[in-house]
Amino acid sequence: MSLAAPRTKRQAKSARGSYGRVGQVIDELDDRLGIAKGGRVFLDKIFPDHWSFLLGEIALYSFIVLIATGVFLTLYYVPSQTEVIYHGAYAPLRGLKVSEAYASTVNLSLFVRAGLLMRQMHHWAADVFLGAIVIHMARIFFTGAFRKPRELNWTIGLTLLTLSLANGFIGYSLPDDLISGTGLRIMFSIVLSIPFVGTYIAFWLFGGNYPGTVIIPRLFIIHVLILPAIIAALIGAHLFLLVRQKHTQFPGKGRTADNVVGSPMYPTFMAKTTGYMFMVTAVLTVLGGIAQINPIWQFGQYQPAKISYAVQPDWYMGWLDGALRIMPSWEFTAWGHTIPFVVLLPAVVFPGLIFTICYAWPAIERRFTGDNDIHHLLDRPRDRPKRTAAGAAMIALMLTLLGASATDVLANFFQVSLNEVLWTFRILVFIVPIVVGVFTWRICLEIQGGGADIGKRKRALIVTRSATGEYRTVETAPQPDDQHEELEPIEVPVKIDMTESDGDTAGEPGVRTVSR
């Protein structure tokens, strides 16, 4: 019986192949499931190194934090509108009638160890999640990454945004405090404003007239079960298409429509993205620990007779709140029916129009440009002035409406009439998008005329004067960041294997032959 010769760590590492232990795991699974081809293709996937591609990862990791903290909160939250006498940790509320939903949320925040941290992390993660989706979608829009063959992924992204907006609104409605109750009252009014069927839908959803008795339990199931499952499935579909269609990339050195230049999944990108996940989680943890958000114990239990001041919804619902505030009190009454345009137009028709335009934009652009080609290289926004101007105008419209959601605060701060603030925003909501759109369009044209030097650092000049009074200029020495240097792209082999062969070549990379 012969004993195997001892191997050094370097020899053992070399024997595991270029993929290391990950490759060994895939080989073991391949022996049973035949997944080696897909696994190696996935490990060899190239990710561009441009910073803007990290925006989608912020959304992904925020969603993971949302799921983890949401599971914790679910263990303590009671989704019930049944009234109880509060005897919890918060002394100012003791002896008052509150709903079980509100009481459990207050106790979760102030009595459960790490409860407030988890709840605030959950809330901040929702805000960051939606913010990352919006900025990610803006990057896709301005660079033309939605064009053929990626229209389906654009649709999936917009659907993710829509469902996340709905789930965010439902999430901050669950505590049943004064602010969330006001939001539910607005939601009830929006549903009622739908002609013909609004009354039936509202009463069915709330279990009767507002505030009903079943809306909190129903919203809870939608928030923790139905919408997260759909969102997770859409994220999976989005990532599948991303791997299947491969990344887009900006034009540059070595980049063509037939390749992708960047870092491979394993080991480079995997190490970077894991560290990035910890960074996003750390930021959300710090925010949850030191940045107070939605202190419901200060707002109190929701009561229909009470109103709040200087409290606005989360930023992603501010544009809708602003549209509702500045809409004139118009309505139509005939044949025993009333259609409240004051609610229907800003809260139903306007959002529907905005999202319809967004969904249809790839087809709209293809129709007007006649561009039916397949695109893998991204546009620079300055090269598409009309598209960039349209996107900037849309962002300006949303920001103006977001400002309109604080009309009461602005009127009080500047000591002016609330009516004057309302009329100011009614005018600005039309003027600002037009001005921003035209200005952006002109800027893009100016940048196009600047040639290839736009965006590059200009060399400093030294001005000298001779004894006769003549002025001369001399360029300074080049600085390290005057020119953007990139590494030469290296082709990634289709297959990498450590197949033993004859003689001294054992363990060197070679071509793998697989029998079926």
Side-chain angles (χ1 to χ4, degrees), residues 387-444:
R387 180 205 297 154
T388 304
M394 178 67 74
I395 294 174
L397 173 62
M398 295 293 107
L399 292 177
T400 304
L401 291 175
L402 178 62
S405 68
T407 50
D408 54 340
V409 178
L410 293 172
N412 183 63
F413 181 81
F414 291 105
Q415 295 297 302
V416 296
S417 168
L418 177 61
N419 196 46
E420 293 177 0
V421 178
L422 289 174
W423 272 105
T424 299
F425 276 102
R426 286 170 184 170
I427 297 171
L428 289 177
V429 80
F430 292 100
I431 294 179
V432 171
I434 295 175
V435 172
V436 170
V438 173
F439 182 76
T440 303
W441 177 65
R442 292 298 307 173
I443 287 293
C444 290

Side-chain angles (χ1 to χ4, degrees), residues 44 132 137 149 169 175 296 308 311 354 358 385 427 443 507 514:
D44 283 336
M137 295 294 292
F169 171 79
I296 61 168
S308 60
V311 178
I354 291 296
C358 291
I427 297 171
I443 287 293
V514 181

Side-chain angles (χ1 to χ4, degrees), residues 325-347:
R325 291 186 182 215
I326 65 175
M327 180 66 193
S329 55
W330 297 343
E331 65 180 24
F332 173 79
T333 303
W335 303 290
H337 294 276
T338 299
I339 300 178
F341 291 139
V342 64
V343 178
L344 178 65
L345 292 181

